[in-house]
Amino acid sequence: MSQSGGDIIEVKDLVKTFGSFTAVGGLSFSVKRGEIFSFLGPNGAGKTTTIKMLTTLLRPDSGSIRIAGLDTAREPLEVRRKFGIVFQDASLDDELTAWENMFFHAVLYAVPAAERAPRIEEMLRFVGLWDRRKDLVKHFSGGMKRRLEIARCLSHQPDLIFLDEPTSGLDPQNRSRLWEHLRRLNSELGTTIFLTTHSMEEAEKVSGRILVIDGGKIAAEGTPDEIKRRTETRTLEEAFLALTGRDLRDDVPGAVEDMRKARLIWRGKSR
Amino acid sequence: MNSSSMGAVWGLWLRQIKRYLRSRSRLIGSLGQPVLFLVALGFGFGPVFQKAGGGNYIQFLTPGIVLMGVLFTAIFSGIEIIWDRQFGFLKETLVAPAPRIFIMLGRTLGGATIAIIQGFLVLAVSFAAGFRLESWTRLPAAALFMGLTAVAFTALGTAIASVLEDMQGFQLIMNFLVMPIFFFSGSIFPLISLPRFLTDVAAANPLTYGVDGLRLALEGGSYAAMGRDAAVLTAVAAVLVVAGGNLFSRIQA
Ligand SMILES: Nc1ncnc2c1ncn2[C@@H]1O[C@H](COP(=O)(O)OP(=O)(O)OP(=O)(O)O)[C@@H](O)[C@H]1O
Ligand SMILES: [Mg+2]
């Protein structure tokens, strides 16, 4: 692991517009090595757009991003080696088995041939999918797919992982199991975790630093306690309301998913 | 070329092949159209063609229909990127640490391999319809023309899919690009007695050189003539791979 001044992510004045709409309006923040860092914000806040720029999938209009000391615009390939990502929407090949998806990823990331099989086994066991390795992914449940994506993104042993709403679609049991995994990963291997969430509860439980974003801008930054103290509120939820004048939680279960689906259909593509 | 570039080419090639072998319905389905054309046109127009002095129509038609199988499979393989985008898998390859051009190359070679297999399957069916091969030693030359055609059109499909966002434009491409390419290539009728503007269209159509080359290969034509066709096709394939690779590299998620 190469240490570079302690900050594994450094973002300055990041801007992204779509036509006349500003999705990300000048974000600056940094994430320390070994940290669990949460992006908290309502639908459309610009969380996914930011992650896409951090992971070299989308070109920013302006601003700079450094990952592990490397400029994402200048050295995208080097940068891509450094992180693993679980996207908000599935990115598995449904027609392949769990094992094949893992194998394919290992090949793409140039994991040495001799290490592939043991590493894939370790990761599949880690997320409890070893017994299902020969099943086609299209027969998996949503939660199983999510776990497989997590196993996959870890299999090239990145120092940094991006998780875009990792627990959406997971039942409470798998949710807490995932958290246990992530904490272990963070404490044992020192993996930096960057995640986005809608859930206050979750952001609060993870207890690392939080960046509250709304309308593509930073609304607050700090640990949950700091944010609550600053806004003189008792819960993060109240803090959010105080900061943005809006309620964050999508109270109707499934409402977020429905909106997202409607949006996908509307745009006619998956992002 | 470093190991993740090689991994990308090999991995994506392998993925295409695996998916192909796994979906029997697709294998059979994409054979259906060429076989239908072979039977309907071959037996339907055969007598007319013979009477007009064109010789055995099945002999004439087979190279054209074989390349029809290759053309359709190749274009579809390229266009598959749109599905991968819709199902999300595309992102996994876009974020990988291999230069995009190698990702594109792996996909293209995978699609082309499948297209060649389809071509040989159509050829096998045409034997049942009465086609006779000049000599088995001509098969490698035949494979070459199928291969060049396959690479060129998979790359074309990739180029198109890289700029299309969804399947809306697909019908348009089928009707205004793929079908004309197929019809005006000498695949199902000779080009010699066509009006001038259509012979010009045919001359500008890459498939024309594939059909001509494959026909020469299967019917025992001269290697010099085949060489000319192969040269044109190689150049076209190279240009399309570069163009497709470029467009693919520019995709943003
Ligand atoms: N390709 C695009 N073209 C046009 N607008 C876009 C595009 N991608 C994102 N947007 C818009 O940018 C805004 C931010 O979107 P983004 O997906 O980053 O939100 P988010 O915070 O991830 O929301 P969610 O919680 O729903 O996932 C939204 O208003 C969205 O409609
Ligand atoms: Mg999002």
Side-chain angles (χ1 to χ4, degrees):
Chain A
M1 265 189 227
S2 64
Q3 294 300 137
S4 68
D7 284 342
I8 196 163
I9 303 177
E10 300 158 79
V11 176
K12 268 204 204 86
D13 306 321
L14 195 61
V15 175
K16 182 70 194 179
T17 56
F18 296 106
S20 61
F21 176 76
T22 305
V24 174
L27 287 187
S28 299
F29 62 91
S30 55
V31 177
K32 289 192 199 64
R33 216 170 253 282
E35 198 174 17
I36 300 185
F37 185 89
S38 315
F39 238 35
L40 180 68
N43 288 143
K47 303 183 294 293
T48 299
T49 306
T50 305
I51 286 205
K52 281 183 180 167
M53 290 190 280
L54 295 181
T55 55
T56 75
L57 281 180
L58 196 61
R59 222 169 292 124
D61 294 355
S62 63
S64 75
I65 303 168
R66 295 178 85 80
I67 303 277
L70 301 164
D71 189 307
T72 54
R74 257 180 256 132
E75 296 168 281
L77 296 183
E78 281 308 307
V79 168
R80 287 182 203 157
R81 260 174 236 290
K82 304 286 180 196
F83 64 80
I85 177 165
V86 175
F87 296 98
Q88 186 166 355
D89 310 307
S91 69
L92 298 162
D93 188 335
D94 276 11
E95 300 288 330
L96 299 183
T97 64
W99 171 276
E100 285 165 345
N101 268 285
M102 295 290 288
F103 178 83
F104 177 76
H105 183 89
V107 169
L108 266 185
Y109 281 78
V111 173
E115 283 175 44
R116 279 179 211 146
R119 224 186 265 182
I120 293 172
E121 176 170 354
E122 184 192 342
M123 286 302 139
L124 285 179
R125 286 191 190 282
F126 181 61
V127 297
L129 287 173
W130 176 246
D131 294 338
R132 306 294 301 268
R133 65 188 177 280
K134 289 183 183 148
D135 292 0
L136 289 183
V137 168
K138 68 177 167 196
H139 299 140
F140 277 15
S141 73
M144 288 163 69
K145 286 186 191 174
R146 214 101 252 258
R147 275 144 61 201
L148 179 58
E149 297 225 23
I150 289 164
R152 188 180 64 176
C153 94
L154 295 174
S155 65
H156 59 281
Q157 301 178 328
D159 293 345
L160 164 67
I161 54 176
F162 292 96
L163 305 167
D164 200 352
E165 291 178 39
T167 52
S168 79
L170 290 188
D171 59 31
Q173 193 192 346
N174 273 308
R175 201 172 276 221
S176 60
R177 199 153 67 192
L178 174 65
W179 279 118
E180 198 187 303
H181 285 156
L182 292 177
R183 272 199 215 100
R184 229 173 66 209
L185 201 69
N186 178 255
S187 60
E188 288 172 21
L189 298 176
T191 308
T192 310
I193 300 174
F194 183 115
L195 62 99
T196 73
T197 180
H198 293 115
S199 160
M200 299 287 182
E201 233 179 301
E202 215 159 82
E204 189 133 30
K205 242 193 299 184
V206 188
S207 81
R209 264 192 321 138
I210 297 174
L211 195 86
V212 180
I213 96 166
D214 188 31
K217 290 214 161 69
I218 296 177
E221 190 179 354
T223 64
D225 284 339
E226 284 168 6
I227 293 177
K228 280 184 277 183
R229 212 175 311 129
R230 216 172 306 145
T231 52
E232 298 176 335
T233 51
R234 275 167 302 134
T235 66
L236 208 49
E237 200 139 7
E238 286 172 15
F240 192 84
L241 209 59
L243 285 165
T244 65
R246 277 201 280 151
D247 204 344
L248 174 71
R249 198 197 290 268
D250 298 278
D251 260 317
V252 192
V256 182
E257 269 311 305
D258 288 346
M259 270 176 64
R260 192 167 294 136
K261 266 182 213 134
R263 201 173 59 183
L264 288 186
I265 293 164
W266 173 243
R267 290 219 197 98
K269 63 166 184 173
S270 152
R271 292 179 304 110
Chain B
M1 200 163 149
N2 64 29
S3 55
S4 76
S5 306
M6 262 155 35
V9 175
W10 179 64
L12 278 148
W13 179 85
L14 190 66
R15 167 189 183 244
Q16 298 294 96
I17 305 293
K18 278 206 156 146
R19 284 172 64 101
Y20 171 70
L21 294 179
R22 204 156 279 168
S23 84
R24 296 275 144 73
S25 61
R26 189 175 133 189
L27 199 153
I28 307 294
S30 51
L31 262 182
Q33 201 162 15
V35 171
L36 179 69
F37 268 69
L38 189 70
V39 172
L41 297 182
F43 293 107
F45 289 120
V48 184
F49 194 80
Q50 188 110 38
K51 243 177 252 164
N56 183 333
Y57 189 45
I58 292 281
Q59 283 304 113
F60 176 86
L61 186 63
T62 292
I65 299 299
V66 166
L67 283 196
M68 175 194 192
V70 173
L71 170 72
F72 284 25
T73 312
I75 293 263
F76 280 122
S77 294
I79 297 246
E80 231 183 0
I81 288 175
I82 297 177
W83 271 281
D84 281 345
R85 192 205 291 273
Q86 234 138 32
F87 287 101
F89 178 74
L90 186 66
K91 283 181 297 209
E92 157 80 352
T93 57
L94 294 183
V95 82
R100 296 261 177 96
I101 180 75
F102 292 109
I103 307 257
M104 183 272 183
L105 217 53
R107 292 190 75 111
T108 303
L109 293 178
T113 306
I114 294 164
I116 296 169
I117 298 172
Q118 289 290 126
F120 273 106
L121 289 177
V122 177
L123 186 61
V125 172
S126 71
F127 283 113
F131 176 75
R132 289 297 163 258
L133 193 62
E134 165 74 18
S135 149
W136 292 100
T137 60
R138 290 311 190 101
L139 281 185
L144 173 75
F145 284 104
M146 286 188 222
L148 289 173
T149 306
V151 170
F153 287 105
T154 311
L156 179 64
T158 306
I160 293 169
S162 300
V163 292
L164 283 186
E165 296 230 313
D166 50 41
M167 295 305 291
Q168 314 267 316
F170 186 68
Q171 205 56 35
L172 220 61
I173 292 159
M174 271 318 281
N175 290 337
F176 291 98
L177 188 72
V178 181
M179 293 313 279
I181 285 176
F182 165 58
F183 280 126
F184 304 114
S185 63
S187 53
I188 54 177
F189 46 76
L191 296 168
I192 25 169
S193 37
L194 290 182
R196 177 66 198 273
F197 81 99
L198 281 181
T199 52
D200 287 349
V201 168
N205 179 358
L207 191 65
T208 305
Y209 303 90
V211 171
D212 189 58
L214 184 60
R215 200 165 274 146
L216 290 167
L218 294 176
E219 305 258 272
S222 85
Y223 279 99
M226 273 191 257
R228 276 196 298 280
D229 286 330
V232 174
L233 262 188
T234 306
V236 171
V239 168
L240 287 173
V241 167
V242 171
N246 247 305
L247 291 170
F248 184 76
S249 301
R250 285 198 216 143
I251 295 180
Q252 297 202 37

